[in-house]
PDB file of all heavy atoms in Angstrom:
ATOM      1  N   LYS F 108      -6.145  28.129 -12.250  1.00 86.00           N
ATOM      2  CA  LYS F 108      -5.074  28.276 -11.263  1.00 86.00           C
ATOM      3  C   LYS F 108      -4.688  26.901 -10.693  1.00 86.00           C
ATOM      4  O   LYS F 108      -3.512  26.618 -10.479  1.00 86.00           O
ATOM      5  CB  LYS F 108      -5.521  29.223 -10.140  1.00 86.00           C
ATOM      6  CG  LYS F 108      -4.473  29.491  -9.088  1.00 86.00           C
ATOM      7  CD  LYS F 108      -3.172  30.027  -9.660  1.00 86.00           C
ATOM      8  CE  LYS F 108      -3.256  31.482  -9.988  1.00 86.00           C
ATOM      9  NZ  LYS F 108      -1.953  32.049 -10.386  1.00 86.00           N
ATOM     10  N   ARG F 109      -5.689  26.047 -10.483  1.00 86.00           N
ATOM     11  CA  ARG F 109      -5.426  24.700  -9.978  1.00 86.00           C
ATOM     12  C   ARG F 109      -4.554  23.917 -10.969  1.00 86.00           C
ATOM     13  O   ARG F 109      -3.611  23.228 -10.578  1.00 86.00           O
ATOM     14  CB  ARG F 109      -6.741  23.967  -9.734  1.00 86.00           C
ATOM     15  CG  ARG F 109      -6.608  22.692  -8.956  1.00 86.00           C
ATOM     16  CD  ARG F 109      -7.962  22.084  -8.603  1.00 86.00           C
ATOM     17  NE  ARG F 109      -8.751  22.975  -7.766  1.00 86.00           N
ATOM     18  CZ  ARG F 109      -9.812  23.671  -8.180  1.00 86.00           C
ATOM     19  NH1 ARG F 109     -10.235  23.569  -9.420  1.00 86.00           N
ATOM     20  NH2 ARG F 109     -10.461  24.455  -7.361  1.00 86.00           N
ATOM     21  N   ALA F 110      -4.855  24.053 -12.264  1.00 88.00           N
ATOM     22  CA  ALA F 110      -4.063  23.373 -13.288  1.00 88.00           C
ATOM     23  C   ALA F 110      -2.632  23.911 -13.294  1.00 88.00           C
ATOM     24  O   ALA F 110      -1.672  23.141 -13.456  1.00 88.00           O
ATOM     25  CB  ALA F 110      -4.711  23.542 -14.655  1.00 88.00           C
ATOM     26  N   ALA F 111      -2.481  25.232 -13.114  1.00 89.00           N
ATOM     27  CA  ALA F 111      -1.138  25.816 -13.073  1.00 89.00           C
ATOM     28  C   ALA F 111      -0.360  25.297 -11.859  1.00 89.00           C
ATOM     29  O   ALA F 111       0.828  24.967 -11.966  1.00 89.00           O
ATOM     30  CB  ALA F 111      -1.234  27.337 -13.026  1.00 89.00           C
ATOM     31  N   CYS F 112      -1.031  25.197 -10.714  1.00 92.00           N
ATOM     32  CA  CYS F 112      -0.370  24.677  -9.505  1.00 92.00           C
ATOM     33  C   CYS F 112       0.018  23.203  -9.688  1.00 92.00           C
ATOM     34  O   CYS F 112       1.098  22.781  -9.262  1.00 92.00           O
ATOM     35  CB  CYS F 112      -1.275  24.821  -8.284  1.00 92.00           C
ATOM     36  SG  CYS F 112      -1.535  26.522  -7.747  1.00 92.00           S
ATOM     37  N   GLU F 113      -0.851  22.458 -10.335  1.00 90.00           N
ATOM     38  CA  GLU F 113      -0.558  21.046 -10.582  1.00 90.00           C
ATOM     39  C   GLU F 113       0.663  20.899 -11.493  1.00 90.00           C
ATOM     40  O   GLU F 113       1.535  20.063 -11.259  1.00 90.00           O
ATOM     41  CB  GLU F 113      -1.769  20.353 -11.205  1.00 90.00           C
ATOM     42  CG  GLU F 113      -1.575  18.874 -11.421  1.00 90.00           C
ATOM     43  CD  GLU F 113      -2.802  18.200 -11.994  1.00 90.00           C
ATOM     44  OE1 GLU F 113      -3.890  18.809 -12.012  1.00 90.00           O
ATOM     45  OE2 GLU F 113      -2.675  17.041 -12.425  1.00 90.00           O
ATOM     46  N   ALA F 114       0.742  21.740 -12.525  1.00 90.00           N
ATOM     47  CA  ALA F 114       1.903  21.699 -13.428  1.00 90.00           C
ATOM     48  C   ALA F 114       3.188  22.041 -12.682  1.00 90.00           C
ATOM     49  O   ALA F 114       4.230  21.394 -12.876  1.00 90.00           O
ATOM     50  CB  ALA F 114       1.684  22.653 -14.603  1.00 90.00           C
ATOM     51  N   LEU F 115       3.115  23.042 -11.801  1.00 90.00           N
ATOM     52  CA  LEU F 115       4.292  23.403 -11.000  1.00 90.00           C
ATOM     53  C   LEU F 115       4.684  22.257 -10.061  1.00 90.00           C
ATOM     54  O   LEU F 115       5.876  21.973  -9.877  1.00 90.00           O
ATOM     55  CB  LEU F 115       4.018  24.668 -10.185  1.00 90.00           C
ATOM     56  CG  LEU F 115       4.100  25.989 -10.926  1.00 90.00           C
ATOM     57  CD1 LEU F 115       3.567  27.129 -10.059  1.00 90.00           C
ATOM     58  CD2 LEU F 115       5.533  26.275 -11.347  1.00 90.00           C
ATOM     59  N   ALA F 116       3.685  21.604  -9.474  1.00 89.00           N
ATOM     60  CA  ALA F 116       3.960  20.488  -8.560  1.00 89.00           C
ATOM     61  C   ALA F 116       4.650  19.346  -9.298  1.00 89.00           C
ATOM     62  O   ALA F 116       5.585  18.730  -8.782  1.00 89.00           O
ATOM     63  CB  ALA F 116       2.667  20.004  -7.911  1.00 89.00           C
ATOM     64  N   LYS F 117       4.218  19.071 -10.520  1.00 88.00           N
ATOM     65  CA  LYS F 117       4.850  18.011 -11.310  1.00 88.00           C
ATOM     66  C   LYS F 117       6.296  18.374 -11.653  1.00 88.00           C
ATOM     67  O   LYS F 117       7.189  17.538 -11.566  1.00 88.00           O
ATOM     68  CB  LYS F 117       4.054  17.746 -12.582  1.00 88.00           C
ATOM     69  CG  LYS F 117       2.772  16.990 -12.321  1.00 88.00           C
ATOM     70  CD  LYS F 117       2.002  16.743 -13.596  1.00 88.00           C
ATOM     71  CE  LYS F 117       0.702  16.019 -13.300  1.00 88.00           C
ATOM     72  NZ  LYS F 117      -0.098  15.809 -14.509  1.00 88.00           N
ATOM     73  N   LYS F 118       6.506  19.625 -12.052  1.00 87.00           N
ATOM     74  CA  LYS F 118       7.874  20.062 -12.359  1.00 87.00           C
ATOM     75  C   LYS F 118       8.761  19.964 -11.127  1.00 87.00           C
ATOM     76  O   LYS F 118       9.915  19.547 -11.208  1.00 87.00           O
ATOM     77  CB  LYS F 118       7.877  21.498 -12.884  1.00 87.00           C
ATOM     78  CG  LYS F 118       7.393  21.642 -14.296  1.00 87.00           C
ATOM     79  CD  LYS F 118       7.459  23.095 -14.738  1.00 87.00           C
ATOM     80  CE  LYS F 118       6.901  23.271 -16.131  1.00 87.00           C
ATOM     81  NZ  LYS F 118       6.909  24.689 -16.551  1.00 87.00           N
ATOM     82  N   LEU F 119       8.214  20.347  -9.973  1.00 85.00           N
ATOM     83  CA  LEU F 119       8.981  20.278  -8.730  1.00 85.00           C
ATOM     84  C   LEU F 119       9.326  18.826  -8.390  1.00 85.00           C
ATOM     85  O   LEU F 119      10.446  18.533  -7.967  1.00 85.00           O
ATOM     86  CB  LEU F 119       8.183  20.917  -7.584  1.00 85.00           C
ATOM     87  CG  LEU F 119       8.846  20.920  -6.217  1.00 85.00           C
ATOM     88  CD1 LEU F 119      10.136  21.720  -6.241  1.00 85.00           C
ATOM     89  CD2 LEU F 119       7.896  21.495  -5.175  1.00 85.00           C
ATOM     90  N   GLY F 120       8.387  17.934  -8.598  1.00 84.00           N
ATOM     91  CA  GLY F 120       8.633  16.520  -8.317  1.00 84.00           C
ATOM     92  C   GLY F 120       9.686  15.909  -9.224  1.00 84.00           C
ATOM     93  O   GLY F 120      10.354  14.950  -8.855  1.00 84.00           O
ATOM     94  N   GLN F 121       9.857  16.464 -10.411  1.00 85.00           N
ATOM     95  CA  GLN F 121      10.813  15.919 -11.366  1.00 85.00           C
ATOM     96  C   GLN F 121      12.127  16.686 -11.382  1.00 85.00           C
ATOM     97  O   GLN F 121      13.047  16.313 -12.117  1.00 85.00           O
ATOM     98  CB  GLN F 121      10.188  15.921 -12.760  1.00 85.00           C
ATOM     99  CG  GLN F 121       8.980  15.011 -12.857  1.00 85.00           C
ATOM    100  CD  GLN F 121       8.184  15.224 -14.126  1.00 85.00           C
ATOM    101  OE1 GLN F 121       8.402  16.173 -14.867  1.00 85.00           O
ATOM    102  NE2 GLN F 121       7.230  14.337 -14.370  1.00 85.00           N
ATOM    103  N   ALA F 122      12.229  17.727 -10.579  1.00 83.00           N
ATOM    104  CA  ALA F 122      13.464  18.524 -10.545  1.00 83.00           C
ATOM    105  C   ALA F 122      14.604  17.681  -9.997  1.00 83.00           C
ATOM    106  O   ALA F 122      14.457  16.991  -8.989  1.00 83.00           O
ATOM    107  CB  ALA F 122      13.269  19.767  -9.693  1.00 83.00           C
ATOM    108  N   PRO F 123      15.777  17.710 -10.656  1.00 82.00           N
ATOM    109  CA  PRO F 123      16.877  16.815 -10.275  1.00 82.00           C
ATOM    110  C   PRO F 123      17.645  17.217  -9.019  1.00 82.00           C
ATOM    111  O   PRO F 123      18.203  16.367  -8.346  1.00 82.00           O
ATOM    112  CB  PRO F 123      17.797  16.848 -11.497  1.00 82.00           C
ATOM    113  CG  PRO F 123      17.533  18.168 -12.136  1.00 82.00           C
ATOM    114  CD  PRO F 123      16.092  18.482 -11.855  1.00 82.00           C
ATOM    115  N   ASP F 124      17.674  18.507  -8.696  1.00 85.00           N
ATOM    116  CA  ASP F 124      18.487  18.906  -7.541  1.00 85.00           C
ATOM    117  C   ASP F 124      17.834  20.079  -6.808  1.00 85.00           C
ATOM    118  O   ASP F 124      16.850  20.647  -7.241  1.00 85.00           O
ATOM    119  CB  ASP F 124      19.911  19.276  -7.975  1.00 85.00           C
ATOM    120  CG  ASP F 124      19.949  20.372  -9.035  1.00 85.00           C
ATOM    121  OD1 ASP F 124      18.906  21.009  -9.272  1.00 85.00           O
ATOM    122  OD2 ASP F 124      21.019  20.579  -9.618  1.00 85.00           O
ATOM    123  N   ASP F 125      18.426  20.435  -5.656  1.00 84.00           N
ATOM    124  CA  ASP F 125      17.867  21.493  -4.811  1.00 84.00           C
ATOM    125  C   ASP F 125      17.897  22.855  -5.498  1.00 84.00           C
ATOM    126  O   ASP F 125      17.011  23.680  -5.274  1.00 84.00           O
ATOM    127  CB  ASP F 125      18.629  21.565  -3.483  1.00 84.00           C
ATOM    128  CG  ASP F 125      18.303  20.383  -2.588  1.00 84.00           C
ATOM    129  OD1 ASP F 125      17.239  19.778  -2.791  1.00 84.00           O
ATOM    130  OD2 ASP F 125      19.116  20.072  -1.690  1.00 84.00           O
ATOM    131  N   ALA F 126      18.909  23.108  -6.307  1.00 87.00           N
ATOM    132  CA  ALA F 126      19.011  24.402  -6.985  1.00 87.00           C
ATOM    133  C   ALA F 126      17.823  24.606  -7.927  1.00 87.00           C
ATOM    134  O   ALA F 126      17.308  25.720  -8.050  1.00 87.00           O
ATOM    135  CB  ALA F 126      20.325  24.487  -7.763  1.00 87.00           C
ATOM    136  N   ALA F 127      17.393  23.556  -8.584  1.00 86.00           N
ATOM    137  CA  ALA F 127      16.253  23.658  -9.492  1.00 86.00           C
ATOM    138  C   ALA F 127      14.935  23.659  -8.721  1.00 86.00           C
ATOM    139  O   ALA F 127      13.943  24.227  -9.172  1.00 86.00           O
ATOM    140  CB  ALA F 127      16.273  22.497 -10.487  1.00 86.00           C
ATOM    141  N   ARG F 128      14.900  23.025  -7.556  1.00 87.00           N
ATOM    142  CA  ARG F 128      13.668  22.930  -6.772  1.00 87.00           C
ATOM    143  C   ARG F 128      13.302  24.239  -6.075  1.00 87.00           C
ATOM    144  O   ARG F 128      12.123  24.524  -5.890  1.00 87.00           O
ATOM    145  CB  ARG F 128      13.799  21.829  -5.718  1.00 87.00           C
ATOM    146  CG  ARG F 128      13.656  20.455  -6.264  1.00 87.00           C
ATOM    147  CD  ARG F 128      13.551  19.444  -5.130  1.00 87.00           C
ATOM    148  NE  ARG F 128      13.612  18.108  -5.678  1.00 87.00           N
ATOM    149  CZ  ARG F 128      14.610  17.278  -5.496  1.00 87.00           C
ATOM    150  NH1 ARG F 128      15.613  17.604  -4.729  1.00 87.00           N
ATOM    151  NH2 ARG F 128      14.591  16.083  -6.043  1.00 87.00           N
ATOM    152  N   GLU F 129      14.289  24.992  -5.654  1.00 91.00           N
ATOM    153  CA  GLU F 129      14.030  26.184  -4.841  1.00 91.00           C
ATOM    154  C   GLU F 129      13.098  27.185  -5.522  1.00 91.00           C
ATOM    155  O   GLU F 129      12.085  27.575  -4.944  1.00 91.00           O
ATOM    156  CB  GLU F 129      15.353  26.844  -4.433  1.00 91.00           C
ATOM    157  CG  GLU F 129      15.186  27.937  -3.414  1.00 91.00           C
ATOM    158  CD  GLU F 129      14.529  27.463  -2.130  1.00 91.00           C
ATOM    159  OE1 GLU F 129      14.810  26.341  -1.690  1.00 91.00           O
ATOM    160  OE2 GLU F 129      13.715  28.234  -1.580  1.00 91.00           O
ATOM    161  N   PRO F 130      13.372  27.619  -6.771  1.00 92.00           N
ATOM    162  CA  PRO F 130      12.444  28.579  -7.393  1.00 92.00           C
ATOM    163  C   PRO F 130      11.070  27.955  -7.682  1.00 92.00           C
ATOM    164  O   PRO F 130      10.048  28.635  -7.572  1.00 92.00           O
ATOM    165  CB  PRO F 130      13.143  28.999  -8.686  1.00 92.00           C
ATOM    166  CG  PRO F 130      14.232  28.021  -8.907  1.00 92.00           C
ATOM    167  CD  PRO F 130      14.553  27.395  -7.591  1.00 92.00           C
TER     168      PRO F 130
END
Side-chain angles (χ1 to χ4, degrees):
K108 182 56 79 173
R109 192 173 299 106
C112 291
E113 183 178 347
L115 282 170
K117 286 180 182 178
K118 285 181 183 178
L119 180 62
Q121 296 168 350
D124 56 12
D125 288 338
R128 283 190 188 112
E129 189 59 38

